[in-house]
Amino acid sequence: MAECFLVTRSEFDRIKNAKMRETVRLFLLSDMCRLNTLTAVKLAGSGHLGSSFSSLDMVTFLYYSEMNTARVGVDHPDRDIYFSSKGHDVPGLYAVLHAIGILPSDQLLNLRRLRGTCGHPHVNTPGVEANSGSLGMGISKAKGMAIAKKLRERVGRVFVMTGDGEFQEGQIYEALQGAAHQGVSNLTVILDHNKVQSDRPVEKILHLGNLEEKLRAFGWHVARCDGHNFEQIARVFQELKGITDKPKILIADTIKGKGVSFMEHPQALQEGGGLYKWHAGAPDDPSFENGYQEILDVVNARLARE
C-alpha cells in the first residue's frame, strides 16, 4: 500500500498565524485539508472524495472566516452551527474539524473503523451537529435548529450544505416553503452545485431547471458564486449578512473532485465515457500518489510565491 502522511495540526496553526494574504491562507488551508481527506479515505479503503473535494473550500471558509464555532466552542449555545445534509462529503468536514483542533488525529485517520469516525455524519463525533439520513432531510433539520435559537433568544446562525442531486427530493421544497413562511432569517442553505449526481450528470437524471428563479419563487434570498473562489465567497457572505428578513440560499458552482485534475468532473466524465468514477471508493496506489503529489505541488507553489 502507498505510504500515507498526515498534515499535522501544528502545520495548520503555522499557516493560520503566518503573515500572508487572506485568500492565499484559505487556499493553503483548504488544500492541506484535501491532503488529509485523501489520506483518510485511502486508509479507510472507501469514502467519498468527489463530493468532499467539491464542498471543501466552502467548509474551510465557514470554519476559518465566517463562523464563531472554533472560537466559542462546539458546546456553546450561541455558536454558529454547520452540518451537511448530503452527508457523504463528511471526510472533508473531518479534515477541517481536525485542522481547527476539534477532531483528534487518531479519529481522522480511523475513518470507517471501530473507535474512529463514521462514513456518514454521526453526532457522537466531536463537532458533528447532526446525523445524516435519507437525502433531503437537512433543510428541515436546520430550520428546526434555527427556530430553536430564536425561541431561546440565542444568537448564532445555522448553515446547512446540500447537494444538487439532493434537490430532487420533495422534502426539500416543503422545508423551503415553511422556512420562508416562518421568516427563519438565521438560516443559510449552501447548495454544492457540482452538477454530478453520484456517477452521472444531474441534468441527465432529473434536470433542476432554473434554480435561482425557482428558489426566489419560494421566498428565499438567493445568491450565487464560484464555490472555489475565496474572494467571491467572502463577498457573497458579506452580502448575506445584510439580509435579515428571510432565509438565504447560496448556490455555489463547484467542480466535483476539485483539486486533483483527473478527479475533476469535466475531465473525469470525458475519460469515463460519461460516467464519473470518483464519487465513492478509495483510489488505487498510483492514483493516490499522483493525486497527493498534485495537491502538494500546488501548496508548495503557493508558499513559494508568498
Side-chain angles (χ1 to χ4, degrees):
M1 180 175 175
E3 191 171 4
C4 297
F5 301 94
L6 179 72
V7 182
T8 63
R9 170 81 193 287
S10 61
E11 282 299 296
F12 283 98
D13 287 345
R14 184 174 71 85
I15 296 300
K16 177 184 175 183
N17 297 322
K19 292 183 179 180
M20 60 178 65
R21 290 173 293 156
E22 187 61 19
T23 53
V24 174
R25 186 192 325 278
L26 290 168
F27 274 121
L28 287 169
L29 292 168
S30 187
D31 276 342
M32 290 159 65
C33 286
R34 277 189 175 84
L35 292 173
N36 282 352
T37 302
L38 187 59
T39 291
V41 170
K42 177 61 174 173
L43 289 172
S46 64
H48 296 82
L49 288 171
S51 57
S52 290
F53 284 178
S54 66
S55 62
L56 192 45
D57 293 326
M58 192 64 67
V59 178
T60 300
F61 180 85
L62 286 171
Y63 277 95
Y64 274 99
S65 293
E66 184 65 22
M67 301 196 307
N68 66 4
T69 316
R71 184 177 73 255
V72 304
V74 295
D75 295 320
H76 198 289
D78 291 329
R79 71 190 181 282
D80 292 322
I81 290 173
Y82 167 82
F83 69 95
S84 173
S85 177
K86 59 180 183 173
H88 49 270
D89 62 340
V90 77
L93 172 60
Y94 292 153
V96 174
L97 292 175
H98 167 263
I100 62 177
I102 292 174
L103 186 71
S105 59
D106 63 320
Q107 287 194 265
L108 173 64
L109 292 175
N110 281 287
L111 172 66
R112 293 176 174 250
R113 297 184 182 184
L114 291 175
R115 294 179 293 280
T117 47
C118 297
H120 285 71
H122 193 283
V123 291
N124 286 346
T125 304
V128 172
E129 298 277 5
N131 290 11
S132 65
S134 299
L135 291 176
M137 296 172 63
I139 299 178
S140 297
K141 293 178 184 178
K143 182 183 75 168
M145 295 176 184
I147 291 174
K149 277 185 173 290
K150 288 193 171 190
L151 291 175
R152 295 178 178 180
E153 299 183 343
R154 309 305 315 198
V155 299
R157 299 158 293 169
V158 179
F159 300 89
V160 58
M161 179 76 69
T162 66
D164 44 11
E166 189 176 13
F167 259 68
Q168 297 159 358
E169 298 287 347
Q171 186 172 337
I172 289 277
Y173 298 94
E174 294 179 21
L176 292 175
Q177 183 171 270
H181 176 75
Q182 293 166 296
V184 188
S185 57
N186 55 341
L187 170 60
T188 300
V189 172
I190 303 163
L191 173 56
D192 180 22
H193 195 20
N194 63 35
K195 305 169 186 66
V196 180
Q197 181 175 353
S198 186
D199 58 1
R200 296 182 63 208
V202 173
E203 64 180 15
K204 300 291 186 183
I205 298 174
L206 185 61
H207 203 299
L208 296 175
N210 188 327
L211 274 173
E212 292 183 55
E213 184 177 305
K214 185 182 297 185
L215 294 168
R216 287 194 181 98
F218 274 87
W220 285 58
H221 177 84
V222 182
R224 193 163 196 160
C225 74
D226 179 342
H228 304 303
N229 184 313
F230 285 110
E231 291 181 353
Q232 288 190 29
I233 294 170
R235 283 198 299 270
V236 79
F237 273 103
Q238 189 60 39
E239 169 196 326
L240 294 179
K241 285 187 177 75
I243 308 301
T244 59
D245 62 340
K246 61 179 66 175
K248 300 157 281 263
I249 187 162
L250 169 58
I251 301 172
D253 289 299
T254 61
I255 295 173
K256 195 161 185 174
K258 176 67 175 178
V260 177
S261 58
F262 58 84
M263 294 184 184
E264 294 184 353
H265 77 256
Q267 177 177 335
L269 279 171
Q270 184 177 8
E271 292 177 351
L275 293 176
Y276 182 79
K277 66 176 287 187
W278 301 105
H279 172 71
D284 59 24
D285 286 358
S287 297
F288 170 78
E289 291 168 348
N290 292 336
Y292 195 98
Q293 190 61 51
E294 184 176 339
I295 301 169
L296 187 61
D297 287 345
V298 171
V299 169
N300 287 333
R302 289 191 192 279
L303 284 171
R305 288 196 296 272
E306 286 299 299

